[in-house]
C-alpha cells in the first residue's frame, strides 16, 4: 500500500542501513558475553557503545554477518573485548543473524509506511500534483 515513489526511495536506503536488528542483537549478545566473562555491564559503558553502534550500523555492509564485523573495533576499543570474546560474538551473531534480518525488514516496511503517510499529507497540504 506504499506509493511507488516512496518505496523507490525508502527501500534502497533502508537496505543499506542495518540499524534495528544488528544493533539490538549486538548490544544484547555483548552484554551476555560480558556477564559470562564475569564483567557486569553498566550504563556508563553500554550507552556510549549503543550510540557508536548506531552510527556504525549505517555504514555496515549489507552481507550476512556484516554488522558484527563492522562492530569488532567498537567491541575491542569500547568494551575491551579480547580476541576469544570477539570470536564468540561472531559465532553468536552467525547463529541468529536471520532473526536480525527479519527485524530489519520489518522495520524497513514500517519506515516506508511512515514516510508514505507523511509524504501524502505533505502533498495534500501543499497541493502539489504529479
Amino acid at each position: 500500500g506504499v506509493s511507488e515513489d516512496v518505496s523507490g526511495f525508502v527501500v534502497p536506503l533502508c537496505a543499506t542501513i542495518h540499524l534495528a536488528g544488528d544493533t539490538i542483537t549486538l548490544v544484547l549478545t555483548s552484554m551476555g558475553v560480558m556477564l559470562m566473562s564475569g564483567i557486569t555491564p553498566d550504563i556508563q559503558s553500554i550507552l556510549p557503545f549503543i550510540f557508536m553502534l548506531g552510527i556504525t550500523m549505517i555504514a555496515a555492509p549489507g552481507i550476512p554477518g556484516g554488522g558484527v564485523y563492522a562492530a569488532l573495533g567498537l567491541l575491542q576499543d569500547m568494551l575491551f573485548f579480547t580476541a576469544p570474546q570477539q570470536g564468540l560474538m561472531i559465532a553468536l551473531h552467525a547463529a541468529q543473524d536471520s532473526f536480525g534480518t527479519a527485524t530489519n525488514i520489518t522495520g524497513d516496511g514500517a519506515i516506508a509506511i511512515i514516510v508514505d503517510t507523511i509524504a501524502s499529507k505533505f502533498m495534500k497540504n501543499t497541493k502539489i500534483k504529479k
Side-chain angles (χ1 to χ4, degrees):
V2 176
S3 72
E4 190 173 325
D5 289 338
V6 170
S7 65
F9 171 75
V10 172
V11 171
L13 178 65
C14 288
T16 61
I17 299 174
H18 305 285
L19 200 54
D22 280 343
T23 302
I24 291 167
T25 298
L26 290 169
V27 170
L28 292 178
T29 55
S30 65
M31 290 174 68
V33 169
M34 289 171 77
L35 288 169
M36 288 188 325
S37 301
I39 302 166
T40 304
D42 57 357
I43 195 74
Q44 291 85 8
S45 62
I46 294 298
L47 195 60
F49 175 70
I50 292 171
F51 289 137
M52 288 302 297
L53 193 59
I55 294 169
T56 303
M57 289 302 105
I58 292 172
I63 57 170
V68 71
Y69 286 103
L72 288 178
L74 296 178
L75 291 167
Q76 180 180 351
D77 293 341
M78 296 184 78
L79 299 180
F80 308 108
F81 272 35
T82 62
Q85 289 172 320
Q86 291 177 358
L88 183 57
M89 286 292 295
I90 293 168
L92 289 170
H93 194 273
Q96 65 72 53
D97 190 37
S98 60
F99 296 107
T101 301
T103 304
N104 290 334
I105 292 168
T106 304
D108 295 351
I111 290 170
I113 292 169
I114 291 168
V115 170
D116 190 54
T117 302
I118 293 169
S120 64
K121 286 181 182 179
F122 176 77
M123 297 291 245
K124 185 188 296 183
N125 290 341
T126 58
K127 297 182 175 126
I128 298 174
K129 304 292 183 203
K130 283 187 176 185

